[in-house]
Amino acid sequence: MGDERTRQRVLLVDDERPVWEILGEKLGRSGYEWHGCSSAEAALTCLENEHYDAVVSDLKMPGLSGLELLAKTRQRYPHMAFVMATGEDDIRVAVDAMKHGADDYLLKPFQLEVALESVRRALHKKFLEAELETYRHQLEDMVEERTQQLQIAMKR
């Protein structure tokens, strides 16, 4: 998965531009491509027009909130990693974000290394989920094939 990282794209969403610029610079130096948006509405437009592997979104923004963006993203792009970020130091907020489908949770102001590791973890989790789904489909196909072979053998 290490070499794939250079192709992985992260969408950063925060109504405070300096926040996503600083995180974006760190991601860029670490081999990720990134784009920043200042609202959830702009992020949804970006997601419709380009492919992203992950979203890092602020929780509280004018207009659509981070949780609303998370819900729309999960509905349209279920295999995309999503990391929720907030300045609220309340574990209940983190638990709520995770219940709604966030893959990880960051506290602002970011510790850049922690934020980078959070993105890596979320992307790796989605990679493993995709691998598991592929394996499950392969097993289902094998069971179906074997069942057909058994039915043919029983008819003989």
Side-chain angles (χ1 to χ4, degrees):
M1 209 180 127
D3 291 334
E4 292 175 16
R5 182 176 54 176
T6 57
R7 294 181 297 242
Q8 290 180 312
R9 302 188 72 220
V10 181
L11 182 62
L12 305 174
V13 188
D14 197 303
D15 56 320
E16 297 177 39
R17 184 182 183 109
V19 171
W20 56 256
E21 286 179 336
I22 291 168
L23 180 55
E25 287 298 315
K26 178 66 174 176
L27 289 169
R29 286 192 307 271
S30 300
Y32 293 91
E33 291 183 35
W34 66 276
H35 180 75
C37 293
S38 295
S39 71
E41 294 85 356
L44 290 171
T45 300
C46 287
L47 290 170
E48 289 174 11
N49 295 323
E50 295 185 49
H51 168 77
Y52 291 93
D53 300 292
V55 173
V56 178
S57 176
D58 189 18
L59 178 65
K60 291 191 175 182
M61 297 180 284
L64 288 177
S65 72
L67 282 179
E68 291 169 311
L69 175 60
L70 172 60
K72 290 179 182 292
T73 302
R74 279 287 168 254
Q75 183 180 39
R76 295 177 190 168
Y77 315 100
H79 300 292
M80 185 179 304
F82 199 105
V83 177
M84 189 64 71
T86 186
E88 288 187 42
D89 191 6
D90 183 348
I91 193 69
R92 292 173 296 191
V93 175
V95 169
D96 193 40
M98 302 293 259
K99 281 183 181 177
H100 283 87
D103 296 299
D104 209 346
Y105 177 83
L106 286 171
L107 192 59
K108 295 189 324 186
F110 297 129
Q111 293 178 7
L112 291 177
E113 285 300 321
V114 172
L116 177 61
E117 188 56 35
S118 178
V119 170
R120 285 182 182 147
R121 253 191 331 269
L123 286 164
H124 188 66
K125 177 184 175 203
K126 288 301 179 184
F127 171 77
L128 292 174
E129 287 174 359
E131 288 288 303
L132 184 60
E133 188 173 326
T134 299
Y135 182 66
R136 185 180 54 80
H137 285 300
Q138 289 172 343
L139 285 176
E140 288 172 355
D141 291 345
M142 285 174 44
V143 167
E144 186 177 323
E145 184 180 325
R146 299 281 191 227
T147 301
Q148 288 174 356
Q149 291 173 350
L150 183 59
Q151 288 172 344
I152 291 169
M154 289 178 67
K155 285 180 183 176
R156 291 182 185 158

